[in-house]
Amino acid sequence: MKKLILFGPPGAGKGTFSSQIKKVVTEIVHISTGDIFRENLKNETPLGLKAKSYMDKGELVPDEVVIDMVRDRLNKEDAKKSGFILDGFPRTLHQAEALSEITEVDLLLLLQVSRDIIFKRILGRYSCNNCGEIYNKYTLPTKVEGICDKCGAEIKFEQRSDDNEETLKSRLDAYEKNAKPLIKYYKKRGKLKKVDATDTLSFTDDDIKQIIGI
Ligand code: ADP
Ligand code: ZN
Protein backbone atom coordinates (compact mmCIF):
# COMPACT_ATOMS: atom_id res chain seq x y z
CA MET A 1 0.00 0.00 0.00
CA LYS A 2 1.52 3.26 -1.17
CA LYS A 3 0.83 6.80 -0.09
CA LEU A 4 2.24 9.15 -2.70
CA ILE A 5 2.41 12.86 -3.36
CA LEU A 6 2.84 14.18 -6.89
CA PHE A 7 4.45 17.57 -6.88
CA GLY A 8 5.53 19.85 -9.69
CA PRO A 9 4.60 23.03 -11.55
CA PRO A 10 1.35 23.37 -13.49
CA GLY A 11 1.85 21.41 -16.69
CA ALA A 12 4.29 18.95 -15.15
CA GLY A 13 1.86 16.18 -16.03
CA LYS A 14 0.58 15.21 -12.60
CA GLY A 15 -2.76 14.07 -13.99
CA THR A 16 -1.19 12.00 -16.76
CA PHE A 17 1.33 10.43 -14.41
CA SER A 18 -1.46 9.61 -11.95
CA SER A 19 -3.28 7.67 -14.67
CA GLN A 20 -0.06 5.80 -15.44
CA ILE A 21 0.37 4.82 -11.80
CA LYS A 22 -3.28 3.74 -11.61
CA LYS A 23 -2.72 1.37 -14.52
CA VAL A 24 -0.07 -0.41 -12.45
CA VAL A 25 -1.74 -0.16 -9.03
CA THR A 26 -5.41 -0.20 -10.01
CA GLU A 27 -6.85 0.09 -6.51
CA ILE A 28 -4.87 3.20 -5.53
CA VAL A 29 -7.09 6.25 -4.97
CA HIS A 30 -6.34 9.33 -7.07
CA ILE A 31 -7.08 12.55 -5.21
CA SER A 32 -6.68 15.73 -7.26
CA THR A 33 -7.53 18.87 -5.30
CA GLY A 34 -7.83 20.86 -8.56
CA ASP A 35 -10.35 18.31 -9.92
CA ILE A 36 -12.35 18.38 -6.68
CA PHE A 37 -12.51 22.17 -6.81
CA ARG A 38 -13.52 22.18 -10.49
CA GLU A 39 -16.26 19.61 -9.80
CA ASN A 40 -17.57 21.75 -6.92
CA LEU A 41 -17.42 24.84 -9.10
CA LYS A 42 -19.42 23.14 -11.81
CA ASN A 43 -22.07 22.10 -9.29
CA GLU A 44 -22.01 25.52 -7.63
CA THR A 45 -21.52 24.09 -4.14
CA PRO A 46 -20.51 26.37 -1.23
CA LEU A 47 -16.98 24.95 -1.48
CA GLY A 48 -16.89 25.72 -5.21
CA LEU A 49 -18.06 29.27 -4.64
CA LYS A 50 -15.41 29.75 -1.96
CA ALA A 51 -12.65 28.55 -4.29
CA LYS A 52 -13.78 30.30 -7.46
CA SER A 53 -12.27 33.78 -7.01
CA TYR A 54 -8.87 32.31 -6.17
CA MET A 55 -8.86 29.83 -9.02
CA ASP A 56 -9.89 32.47 -11.55
CA LYS A 57 -6.86 34.51 -10.60
CA GLY A 58 -4.50 31.55 -10.45
CA GLU A 59 -4.02 32.05 -6.71
CA LEU A 60 -4.02 29.38 -4.07
CA VAL A 61 -7.24 28.64 -2.22
CA PRO A 62 -6.69 29.34 1.52
CA ASP A 63 -4.95 26.52 3.37
CA GLU A 64 -7.78 25.88 5.87
CA VAL A 65 -10.27 25.23 3.07
CA VAL A 66 -8.01 22.79 1.24
CA ILE A 67 -6.77 21.04 4.36
CA ASP A 68 -10.29 20.32 5.65
CA MET A 69 -11.29 19.01 2.26
CA VAL A 70 -8.28 16.70 1.96
CA ARG A 71 -8.61 15.47 5.55
CA ASP A 72 -12.21 14.39 4.86
CA ARG A 73 -11.16 12.59 1.71
CA LEU A 74 -8.17 10.79 3.26
CA ASN A 75 -10.28 9.58 6.17
CA LYS A 76 -12.54 7.60 3.84
CA GLU A 77 -12.15 3.81 3.85
CA ASP A 78 -10.83 3.41 0.30
CA ALA A 79 -7.88 5.75 0.80
CA LYS A 80 -7.04 4.21 4.16
CA LYS A 81 -7.17 0.70 2.79
CA SER A 82 -5.69 1.02 -0.71
CA GLY A 83 -3.37 4.01 -0.44
CA PHE A 84 -3.52 7.17 -2.51
CA ILE A 85 -1.91 9.54 -4.96
CA LEU A 86 -2.22 13.13 -3.83
CA ASP A 87 -2.18 15.30 -6.94
CA GLY A 88 -2.00 19.04 -6.21
CA PHE A 89 -1.69 18.74 -2.44
CA PRO A 90 0.26 19.72 -0.39
CA ARG A 91 1.21 22.94 -2.16
CA THR A 92 2.50 24.93 0.83
CA LEU A 93 4.67 24.07 3.82
CA HIS A 94 1.68 24.61 6.07
CA GLN A 95 -0.32 22.08 4.06
CA ALA A 96 2.59 19.61 4.31
CA GLU A 97 2.68 19.98 8.09
CA ALA A 98 -1.07 19.52 8.31
CA LEU A 99 -0.83 16.40 6.14
CA SER A 100 1.76 14.88 8.46
CA GLU A 101 -0.83 15.06 11.26
CA ILE A 102 -3.39 13.23 9.14
CA THR A 103 -1.16 10.45 7.84
CA GLU A 104 2.45 9.67 7.00
CA VAL A 105 3.22 9.49 3.26
CA ASP A 106 5.84 7.24 1.65
CA LEU A 107 7.18 9.48 -1.10
CA LEU A 108 6.97 12.84 -2.76
CA LEU A 109 7.60 12.52 -6.48
CA LEU A 110 8.91 15.79 -7.87
CA LEU A 111 7.98 16.00 -11.55
CA GLN A 112 10.51 18.14 -13.38
CA VAL A 113 10.01 19.79 -16.77
CA SER A 114 11.41 22.78 -18.61
CA ARG A 115 9.57 26.10 -18.70
CA ASP A 116 9.15 25.81 -22.44
CA ILE A 117 7.26 22.55 -22.08
CA ILE A 118 5.08 23.99 -19.31
CA PHE A 119 3.86 26.78 -21.58
CA LYS A 120 3.16 24.46 -24.50
CA ARG A 121 1.33 21.94 -22.35
CA ILE A 122 -0.85 24.45 -20.52
CA LEU A 123 -1.68 26.86 -23.32
CA GLY A 124 -2.33 24.05 -25.80
CA ARG A 125 -4.37 21.92 -23.40
CA TYR A 126 -8.03 21.19 -24.08
CA SER A 127 -10.47 18.39 -23.27
CA CYS A 128 -13.40 16.58 -24.81
CA ASN A 129 -16.60 18.01 -23.36
CA ASN A 130 -18.26 14.60 -23.67
CA CYS A 131 -15.82 12.27 -21.88
CA GLY A 132 -13.19 14.59 -20.41
CA GLU A 133 -10.22 13.09 -22.28
CA ILE A 134 -7.33 15.54 -22.39
CA TYR A 135 -5.52 16.60 -25.58
CA ASN A 136 -2.96 19.16 -26.60
CA LYS A 137 -2.98 21.21 -29.74
CA TYR A 138 0.85 21.17 -29.96
CA THR A 139 1.89 17.88 -28.43
CA LEU A 140 -1.11 15.52 -28.36
CA PRO A 141 -3.78 16.30 -30.97
CA THR A 142 -6.72 14.02 -31.77
CA LYS A 143 -5.99 11.48 -34.51
CA VAL A 144 -8.85 12.80 -36.59
CA GLU A 145 -9.51 16.52 -36.36
CA GLY A 146 -12.62 17.34 -34.35
CA ILE A 147 -13.28 13.73 -33.27
CA CYS A 148 -12.44 12.44 -29.82
CA ASP A 149 -10.09 9.42 -29.95
CA LYS A 150 -11.57 7.99 -26.79
CA CYS A 151 -15.35 8.32 -27.08
CA GLY A 152 -15.64 8.92 -30.83
CA ALA A 153 -17.97 11.86 -30.35
CA GLU A 154 -17.83 14.84 -32.60
CA ILE A 155 -16.96 17.23 -29.91
CA LYS A 156 -16.75 20.73 -28.76
CA PHE A 157 -13.34 21.05 -27.16
CA GLU A 158 -13.20 22.79 -23.83
CA GLN A 159 -10.31 24.75 -22.37
CA ARG A 160 -9.83 25.14 -18.64
CA SER A 161 -10.71 28.75 -17.77
CA ASP A 162 -7.43 29.15 -15.89
CA ASP A 163 -5.31 27.89 -18.80
CA ASN A 164 -4.51 31.33 -20.20
CA GLU A 165 -1.17 33.10 -20.27
CA GLU A 166 -1.87 35.61 -17.51
CA THR A 167 -3.30 33.12 -15.02
CA LEU A 168 -0.55 30.65 -15.85
CA LYS A 169 2.05 33.23 -14.81
CA SER A 170 0.34 33.64 -11.41
CA ARG A 171 0.14 29.86 -11.00
CA LEU A 172 3.86 29.54 -11.77
CA ASP A 173 4.66 32.34 -9.32
CA ALA A 174 2.63 30.59 -6.62
CA TYR A 175 4.48 27.36 -7.38
CA GLU A 176 7.92 28.93 -7.26
CA LYS A 177 7.19 30.76 -4.04
CA ASN A 178 6.12 27.60 -2.23
CA ALA A 179 8.16 24.85 -3.87
CA LYS A 180 11.54 25.31 -2.20
CA PRO A 181 10.50 24.99 1.46
CA LEU A 182 8.16 22.14 0.62
CA ILE A 183 10.80 20.17 -1.29
CA LYS A 184 13.26 20.77 1.52
CA TYR A 185 10.73 19.47 4.05
CA TYR A 186 10.38 16.11 2.26
CA LYS A 187 14.04 15.87 1.41
CA LYS A 188 14.96 16.23 5.06
CA ARG A 189 12.64 13.32 5.84
CA GLY A 190 14.19 11.15 3.12
CA LYS A 191 11.01 11.12 1.04
CA LEU A 192 11.98 13.14 -2.02
CA LYS A 193 12.32 11.45 -5.40
CA LYS A 194 12.93 13.43 -8.60
CA VAL A 195 11.36 12.30 -11.85
CA ASP A 196 12.21 13.69 -15.28
CA ALA A 197 8.69 14.33 -16.56
CA THR A 198 9.60 15.43 -20.09
CA ASP A 199 8.14 12.24 -21.53
CA THR A 200 6.46 10.07 -18.88
CA LEU A 201 4.26 8.43 -21.52
CA SER A 202 7.32 6.47 -22.62
CA PHE A 203 7.64 4.88 -19.14
CA THR A 204 6.96 1.15 -18.95
CA ASP A 205 5.05 -0.49 -16.09
CA ASP A 206 8.41 -1.59 -14.70
CA ASP A 207 9.70 2.01 -14.81
CA ILE A 208 6.63 3.09 -12.83
CA LYS A 209 7.07 0.28 -10.29
CA GLN A 210 10.67 1.25 -9.80
CA ILE A 211 9.75 4.92 -9.32
CA ILE A 212 7.07 4.27 -6.71
CA GLY A 213 9.10 1.54 -5.04
CA ILE A 214 7.04 -1.64 -5.45
P1 ADP B 1 -2.37 23.42 -11.82
O1 ADP B 1 -1.45 22.56 -10.98
O2 ADP B 1 -2.33 23.06 -13.26
O3 ADP B 1 -2.21 24.90 -11.59
P2 ADP B 1 -4.73 22.32 -10.41
O4 ADP B 1 -5.79 21.69 -11.21
O5 ADP B 1 -3.91 21.45 -9.53
O6 ADP B 1 -3.86 23.15 -11.45
O7 ADP B 1 -5.35 23.48 -9.49
C1 ADP B 1 -6.16 24.51 -10.03
C2 ADP B 1 -6.39 25.60 -8.97
O8 ADP B 1 -7.06 25.02 -7.81
C3 ADP B 1 -5.12 26.23 -8.40
O9 ADP B 1 -4.65 27.28 -9.20
C4 ADP B 1 -5.64 26.71 -7.03
O10 ADP B 1 -6.40 27.89 -7.13
C5 ADP B 1 -6.57 25.60 -6.60
N1 ADP B 1 -5.86 24.56 -5.81
C6 ADP B 1 -5.67 23.25 -6.14
N2 ADP B 1 -4.97 22.60 -5.21
C7 ADP B 1 -4.69 23.50 -4.23
C8 ADP B 1 -3.99 23.47 -2.99
N3 ADP B 1 -3.41 22.34 -2.55
N4 ADP B 1 -3.90 24.61 -2.27
C9 ADP B 1 -4.47 25.74 -2.68
N5 ADP B 1 -5.13 25.85 -3.83
C10 ADP B 1 -5.26 24.76 -4.62
ZN1 ZN C 1 -14.50 12.17 -25.74
Side-chain angles (χ1 to χ4, degrees), residues 127-135 147-155 157:
S127 65
C128 167
N129 73 332
N130 186 46
C131 73
E133 185 73 354
I134 293 171
Y135 298 98
I147 304 285
C148 177
D149 296 353
K150 190 176 173 198
C151 73
E154 191 179 317
I155 31 158
F157 290 109

Side-chain angles (χ1 to χ4, degrees), residues 21-190:
I21 295 173
K22 265 195 82 72
K23 265 194 208 129
V24 179
V25 191
T26 47
E27 71 280 7
I28 202 165
V29 180
H30 176 221
I31 303 171
S32 157
T33 46
D35 285 352
I36 299 176
F37 282 134
R38 277 185 289 279
E39 188 62 29
N40 276 277
L41 215 88
K42 209 171 83 192
N43 299 325
E44 298 180 340
T45 68
L47 179 67
L49 295 176
K50 234 186 257 173
K52 181 174 166 37
S53 60
Y54 301 99
M55 295 178 74
D56 285 346
K57 284 184 279 190
E59 291 170 5
L60 294 184
V61 176
D63 281 343
E64 303 68 54
V65 177
V66 194
I67 291 167
D68 285 349
M69 180 177 96
V70 172
R71 184 186 299 110
D72 286 349
R73 185 63 192 88
L74 289 179
N75 281 329
K76 294 207 165 120
E77 263 333 289
D78 59 348
K80 283 190 174 167
K81 184 167 150 265
S82 311
F84 54 80
I85 309 167
L86 274 175
D87 164 356
F89 183 95
R91 272 238 211 338
T92 64
L93 188 57
H94 182 219
Q95 291 178 13
E97 288 162 351
L99 175 62
S100 75
E101 314 243 301
I102 303 169
T103 186
E104 180 157 356
V105 299
D106 297 307
L107 271 183
L108 177 137
L109 302 174
L110 173 62
L111 303 192
Q112 300 181 296
V113 283
S114 70
R115 206 158 166 104
D116 184 49
I117 293 184
I118 292 175
F119 276 83
K120 278 207 183 102
R121 284 192 185 159
I122 297 278
L123 301 178
R125 174 159 72 181
Y126 60 86
S127 65
C128 167
N129 73 332
N130 186 46
C131 73
E133 185 73 354
I134 293 171
Y135 298 98
N136 188 290
K137 122 174 133 191
Y138 308 110
T139 59
L140 193 68
T142 53
K143 291 199 182 83
V144 181
E145 209 185 310
I147 304 285
C148 177
D149 296 353
K150 190 176 173 198
C151 73
E154 191 179 317
I155 31 158
K156 213 180 85 219
F157 290 109
E158 288 184 333
Q159 230 191 344
R160 253 172 66 173
S161 62
D162 61 350
D163 279 353
N164 59 71
E165 201 160 342
E166 200 191 331
T167 311
L168 174 58
K169 285 196 179 120
S170 312
R171 284 154 65 200
L172 281 169
D173 286 348
Y175 173 77
E176 264 143 36
K177 178 167 161 277
N178 290 300
K180 265 203 189 123
L182 201 132
I183 292 167
K184 202 170 144 198
Y185 178 91
Y186 287 97
K187 188 171 180 194
K188 202 169 150 196
R189 287 159 179 75

